[in-house]
Amino acid sequence: MTTAVVRDQLELGLFADLFDEPLNTPPPAAVVPVATGTRAHVWIVAAEIKVEDRIAKAADFRGSFTTAPGTRVDALEV
């Protein structure tokens, strides 16, 4: 005796929402926990550093550069 297989019997509710979002959506942003009760903060300093042309071009492309250890940097604004 054969039994008729109904579509409802084959579906798993476990993976029902697997394809609700497109696969190319970016992952959610990481949540950074905020320390409560601390008095710590971050200092931001604006500065100018004279560099060679090749370093300036790399900094323009990458958005950052490194300096030699011991380089003195004058703070323009804190």
Side-chain angles (χ1 to χ4, degrees), residues 4 8 10 13 18-19 21 33 36 44 52 57 63 65 69 77-78:
D8 293 338
L10 295 177
L18 185 62
F19 297 106
E21 293 184 24
T36 58
I44 306 295
E52 299 172 5
K57 289 177 184 177
F65 66 96
E77 186 176 340
V78 179

Side-chain angles (χ1 to χ4, degrees), residues 43-69:
W43 288 91
I44 306 295
V45 177
E48 282 185 0
I49 302 174
K50 185 171 176 131
V51 295
E52 299 172 5
D53 287 342
R54 65 179 180 84
I55 294 175
K57 289 177 184 177
D60 185 39
F61 179 73
R62 292 192 177 98
S64 66
F65 66 96
T66 57
T67 62

Side-chain angles (χ1 to χ4, degrees), residues 14-26:
L14 207 92
F15 301 109
D17 61 347
L18 185 62
F19 297 106
D20 284 351
E21 293 184 24
L23 295 176
N24 59 355
T25 57

